[in-house]
Structures are given as C-alpha cells and as structure tokens.
C-alpha cells in the first residue's frame, strides 16, 4: 500500500503510466518512519485526483478506462552525472600540471573524452545538466550509494499494493501481473561513496530493461543528490577548519527527519567528527555528541549552580555554554569556578566552554586569556552560531582562539547552494542482438546536451606526485594504451592542449549489481570516511580553493 501511495503521487504529478512506481520507498524506510512520510504523498494525490489525470498521453476521466501499458524489453543504459561547466575562460598555465576539460566521446586521442578535476566548477553527478558545483567549488563528493543499494534490494510490490492500484481503475491486469513478480535484474556501476567527482562524468550507470531503469530514477536521484550535496558542503567546512574538529549540529534546521539523519551520515563521511543527532549514531555509526542548552542554564536559580550541577553529572564531558547572560562578565568566570571546584579536585582537566553568539574572534581571545590565567590551559573553546566555511576561515585568519566548531543550518541544508544538480539521462539502448545504440538529448542550452553512449571513467594520477590531474571518459568497451603519451585538450577551446606521460589510470566506476545480484562489498562508514579523506588529499590545492578553483 505504501509503495502505491508514492506511485500514484508521482503519477498524478504528470509521470508516465509506464513507470508507475516512480518514487517507491523501501519497506525498511517505511518501518522506520511509520505514517509520517505518507502525509505528503496523500496531499499530492488529493490535489491532483480532483481533476482528470493525464497518463501516457491519454486523458483518463471519471470513466476510468483501463490503460494498457507496454513493458519495454529493450535494455537501456542510464547515466547519473553532474552538470557541465560553463565554457572556460582561463588559459592553460604554461608548464602546468593540470589538464583542462576534454572532448566528448569520439573526439581527441583514441576517441576518448576527458573531464579534468582541475577544470570543474560545478557539481558532480550523472551525464546531465544542472547547477554549478556547490558554491562554485572545484569538485563534489559522491554519497548515498548504500541507501540506493538497500532500496533496489527491497524493491517489490505486495498484494496490498496491487489491490490499491487495481482500485484506481487505470492499470491493466497484464501490468499488475508484471508488478507482482517485479524485481530489479539489471547491472549497476557507481563510484564509491566519498569519492571526489566532477561535472559531466557518470557517477552511477544503470544497464537494465527500460521499465526497471525508469522505476528507480526518482529514488536514485533524491538520494544521491541530497547526500552528495551535504557531503560536498561538509567537506568544504571541514577543510576551512584546518584540522580542528567540526560537529554537525543541524538536525533542528534540517528539511525533514530524513534530511537530518542522512545529512548527518553524509557529513561524517565527508570529514565531520560527530553529529548532534543520536539516531544517526544508532543507525549509521556517525558518533553522537552534544553540549548543554541555554534552557539548562535558565532552569537553575543562577548560572554558577547550572554549571556546577552539569559538571557533577558529566565530569568527563563537561562543555559549558557561557553566553546565556554575559560571556566575559559571568559565563566564563562561572565556568572557571565550576571547573576549579568540581573537576580539578578529581584530576579532570578535559573540559570546554562553548560560545554561541557575539564576536567569536574577540570573545574567544578574551576567554582564552581568562582560562589560561585560571590554570586551565587544557580547557577547549567550542564555537557555534550560523557558521559556514567562509566565516570559519575568516575567524581563523583573524586569530580566533577556537579549538572546534559546531555547524548547523548552513551545513545540513547547504544553505548557500541548496540544490545538487545531478541528473539521470538515457545514454544508450542495447537491442536484442546486443548492439549498443548511442542516444543523445539535444537542447537549445548547450550545457543541457547530453554526452551519448555507454561510458566508463578513468582517473589519471601523476606517478611523480601521486596527484590526480584529469578524469578520462571513454566508451565502455574502448581499449586505451596508457603506456603511450596522452594528449588532452579543452572541448570548448581546442587550442588548449597538453600531452601527459608517466601516469597511472584507475577506473572510477565499480560493479554494484550484476543481473540484479549485489556484488559489491559495502564498506563501513569509517572506511568510507577514511577513503574520502585520502581521495580529497590526492587533489591539487588549486582545485580545492573555495573561490575560482583552478581550471
């Protein structure tokens, strides 16, 4: 029944009847959140079912004449990829170590196409169009694959689902019989979670019967787009902190419970040290942390009593919020007194204060002096209050004495760039004889023209430095001799050329499903986090600039 709610919600918003289960939700997800997620699906249905519904080009009115739906048997190839960047304007630096974006398939050396990490200024994703990379950054991070795997493994229709669909009067018994035994039987390749990715290259490829490939589109997009968005923003914030821990504090400002839980997961993969969401720790393993609230201080007769009580209850994790009344005149002095009277006699020096308002540079410097003078040099200073990578960077440049950060709304919603532009586009059809027929989408907007064919992606690393210098996109069965020099050139400015040798190529897309069977050993969240840190470190610093990354 739950599957069908989303099926009809997607359908009534104008979807094709041939892909009736456009927005299925896994049974485990339904079990976790109960009836809460159903509200929006019912609302969409109520808004649209009050008027005639257009399905598969036919208008189905009160007569509800059943529509016979085809079940396409041709195998198709879909790529999920990021948007293409705007035409580059900067010339290729003389003697530089980075290559510009390279030509589409069929152009250039050995018929390959290359997308360079150093050129990308947009978000990573499928072979599609979209917005620029988060905050015009140089790269994005892929995340959300584990939830895609779980969804595909559980994708099915039970009798309750079929009864509901039958009651709508617009699906034939032939189609309902097809849904009764529906299972995903195709192949999927994807980049591992935490991998840096660039515009125009496939992050996930689906090779499956057309109806199966279309069924999974909406869930795949919403999952990969959301978690890749939050992972990308989180990594920018983590890099701005220059090694200082960053905790994700955004649950109360997140866009829904899934946004909080999965956003916390993505942020941890991208480098955040912890989350304030305990459920994210329970379900995904991102460590939970937290400090006291202003309400704790307000519930006591005075600030000192609130601090002393907290230290007595949590002597080994006492972080005192010092800005409820006055940071320097009462907050810090009362925190010092509580630490000295409760913690130091026990030999405990692991403690902290948190600043959540005001001029964080000025207050942290003053507080540091007061703590040191009181014999508490090991007491840490935590800062929060609508932070992002730019504010954190400026605070550190100004000499703020801050040891760690709590970042909420601007991380969990990626407030400055809240949409990840990944899309899911048909790139080829495989006929019954096994022939691959490339397909292209043409647009008046050049950025929306898709790159046709069934493709694979290599990342190229300099042997001397170990750094990545380009991503190479080529046809799935293309054989390239990487022992020979490789000339890369910009597809928009073809005079920008550079020849590379002495490099190593590694395929980015790894097998996830083969003939519907999971063949991927899913890593732990700690392994994904470690992988992400290592892969980001392989990018040139020029690519990691927040503004005007090298291209």
């Amino acid at each position: 029944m739950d599957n069908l709610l989303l099926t009809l919600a997607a359908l009534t918003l104008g979807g094709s009847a041939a892909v009736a289960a456009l927005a299925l939700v896994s049974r485990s997800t339904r079990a976790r959140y109960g009836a809460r997620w159903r509200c929006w699906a019912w609302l969409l249905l109520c808004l649209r079912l009050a008027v005639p519904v257009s399905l598969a080009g036919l208008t189905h009115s009160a007569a509800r004449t059943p529509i016979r739906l085809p079940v396409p048997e041709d195998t198709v190839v879909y790529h999920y990829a990021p948007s293409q960047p705007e035409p580059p304007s900067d010339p290729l630096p003389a003697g530089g170590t980075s290559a510009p974006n390279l030509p589409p398939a069929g152009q250039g050396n050995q018929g390959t196409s290359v997308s360079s990490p150093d050129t990308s200024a947009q978000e990573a994703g499928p072979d599609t169009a979209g917005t620029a990379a988060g905050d015009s950054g140089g790269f994005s991070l892929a995340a959300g694959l584990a939830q895609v795997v779980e969804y595909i493994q559980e994708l099915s229709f039970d009798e309750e689902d079929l009864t509901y669909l039958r009651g709508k009067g617009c699906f034939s018994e032939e189609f309902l019989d097809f849904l009764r035994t529906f299972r995903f039987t195709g192949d999927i390749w994807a980049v591992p979670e935490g991998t840096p990715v660039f515009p125009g290259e496939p992050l996930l490829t689906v090779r499956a019967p057309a109806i199966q490939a279309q069924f999974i589109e909406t869930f795949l997009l919403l999952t990969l787009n959301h978690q890749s968005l939050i992972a990308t923003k989180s990594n920018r914030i983590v890099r701005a902190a220059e090694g200082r821990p960053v905790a994700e504090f955004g649950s109360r400002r997140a866009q829904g419970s899934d946004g909080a839980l999965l956003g916390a997961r993505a942020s941890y993969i991208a480098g955040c040290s912890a989350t304030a969401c305990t459920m994210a720790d329970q379900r995904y393993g991102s460590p939970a942390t937290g400090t006291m609230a202003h309400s704790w201080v307000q519930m006591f007769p005075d600030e000192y009593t609130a601090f002393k009580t907290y230290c007595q209850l949590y002597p080994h994790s006492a972080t005192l919020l010092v800005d409820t009344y006055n940071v320097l005149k009462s907050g810090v002095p009362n925190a010092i007194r509580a630490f000295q009277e409760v913690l130091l006699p026990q030999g405990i020096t692991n403690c902290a204060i948190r600043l959540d308002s005001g001029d964080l540079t000025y207050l942290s410097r003053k507080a540091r002096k007061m703590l040191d003078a009181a014999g508490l040099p090991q007491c840490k200073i935590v800062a929060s209050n609508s932070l992002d990578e730019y504010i954190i960077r400026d605070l550190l440049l100004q000499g703020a004495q801050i040891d760690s950060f709590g970042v909420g709304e601007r991380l969990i919603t990626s407030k400055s760039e809240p949409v990840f532009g990944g899309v899911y586009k048909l790139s080829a059809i495989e006929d019954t004889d096994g022939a691959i027929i490339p397909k292209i989408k043409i647009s008046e907007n050049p950025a929306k023209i898709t790159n046709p064919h069934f493709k694979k992606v290599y990342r190229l690393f300099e042997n001397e430095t170990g750094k990545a210098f380009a991503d190479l996109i080529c046809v799935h069965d293309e054989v390239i001799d990487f022992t020979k020099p490789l000339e890369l050139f910009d597809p928009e400015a073809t005079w920008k050329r550079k020849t590379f040798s002495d490099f190593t190529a590694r395929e980015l897309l790894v097998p996830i499903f083969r003939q519907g069977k999971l063949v991927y050993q899913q890593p732990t969240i700690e392994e994904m986090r470690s992988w992400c840190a290592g892969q980001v470190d392989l990018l040139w610093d020029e690519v990691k600039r927040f503004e005007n990354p090298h291209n």
Side-chain angles (χ1 to χ4, degrees), residues 374-414:
L376 293 164
Q378 293 178 301
C379 180
K380 304 295 186 183
I381 299 177
V382 182
S384 51
N385 186 30
S386 297
L387 301 176
D388 62 16
E389 66 269 40
Y390 300 105
I391 295 174
I392 290 174
R393 180 182 63 182
D394 287 349
L395 288 171
L396 298 181
L397 287 173
Q398 294 161 10
Q401 297 296 298
I402 298 171
D403 300 292
S404 65
F405 299 92
V407 185
E409 64 185 65
R410 299 190 184 187
L411 182 158
I412 204 66
T413 64
S414 188

Side-chain angles (χ1 to χ4, degrees), residues 279-300:
M279 289 180 69
D281 186 352
Q282 179 188 29
R283 291 182 183 171
Y284 304 119
S286 41
T289 187
T291 68
M292 67 165 56
H294 291 106
S295 59
W296 172 276
V297 179
Q298 293 172 290
M299 285 188 290
F300 285 81

Side-chain angles (χ1 to χ4, degrees), residues 18-22 24 70-78 151-152 155 157 175 178-179 181-188 206-220 424 513-517:
V19 287
L22 200 58
L24 297 175
V71 181
E73 296 181 355
D74 282 353
T75 296
V76 297
V77 176
Y78 273 82
Y151 166 76
I152 290 175
L155 180 57
F157 295 82
F175 181 63
F178 170 77
L179 295 182
T181 59
F182 179 86
R183 292 292 186 276
F184 181 80
T185 62
D187 303 329
I188 293 180
V206 176
R207 181 182 188 180
I211 195 166
Q212 295 183 24
Q214 290 179 321
F215 267 19
I216 66 176
E217 176 178 359
T218 297
F219 188 88
L220 185 151
Y424 183 78
F513 285 92
R514 285 200 179 102
Q515 297 181 348
K517 303 296 183 183

Side-chain angles (χ1 to χ4, degrees), residues 120-122 132-139 141 231-243 246 270 387-397 416-417 536 540-550:
S120 304
Q122 291 173 293
D135 299 288
S136 298
F139 66 96
L141 292 178
T232 301
K233 185 65 171 182
S234 299
N235 186 258
R236 288 169 63 87
I237 293 170
V238 167
R239 287 185 281 123
E242 298 180 352
V246 174
L387 301 176
D388 62 16
E389 66 269 40
Y390 300 105
I391 295 174
I392 290 174
R393 180 182 63 182
D394 287 349
L395 288 171
L396 298 181
L397 287 173
S416 56
E417 187 88 36
V536 171
W540 290 96
D541 288 342
E542 295 87 340
V543 181
K544 295 185 279 188
R545 282 197 298 258
F546 293 153
E547 295 102 351
N548 301 315
H550 176 65

Side-chain angles (χ1 to χ4, degrees), residues 84-87 129-130 441-450:
Q84 295 284 1
E86 293 298 318
K441 174 184 175 293
I442 304 297
S443 173
E444 299 261 342
N445 182 349
K448 291 191 173 184
I449 298 175
T450 62

Side-chain angles (χ1 to χ4, degrees), residues 467-534:
K467 296 289 189 182
F469 66 87
D471 283 3
L472 176 71
I473 305 174
C474 52
V475 177
H476 71 107
D477 58 354
E478 191 170 359
V479 178
I480 301 174
D481 186 353
F482 289 114
T483 65
K484 296 180 179 179
L486 184 69
E487 183 183 56
L488 311 182
F489 65 93
D490 193 310
E492 303 292 340
T494 56
W495 63 90
K496 298 180 183 179
R497 294 172 179 262
K498 188 174 180 64
T499 299
F500 290 87
S501 58
D502 191 27
F503 61 87
T504 298
R506 190 188 76 220
E507 278 200 59
L508 288 189
L509 295 160
V510 299
I512 309 298
F513 285 92
R514 285 200 179 102
Q515 297 181 348
K517 303 296 183 183
L518 181 65
V519 296
Y520 180 60
Q521 181 63 46
Q522 296 194 74
T524 66
I525 196 167
E526 294 294 343
E527 290 170 335
M528 288 185 274
R529 175 181 165 85
S530 177
W531 167 262
C532 178

Side-chain angles (χ1 to χ4, degrees), residues 46-70:
C46 292
L47 288 174
R48 192 64 185 271
L49 288 177
V51 297
V53 180
S54 176
L55 299 174
L58 300 177
T59 298
H60 135 79
S61 62
R64 298 190 177 275
T65 304
I67 299 171
R68 293 201 169 270
L69 303 176

Side-chain angles (χ1 to χ4, degrees), residues 346-375:
Q346 302 179 59
I348 299 171
T349 59
N350 180 29
C351 55
I353 63 170
R354 178 160 72 99
L355 302 171
D356 192 45
S357 61
D359 186 328
L360 297 179
T361 298
Y362 173 78
L363 292 174
S364 66
R365 293 168 69 175
K366 288 290 186 180
R368 181 76 272 159
K369 290 180 180 180
M370 295 169 69
L371 292 166
D372 291 348

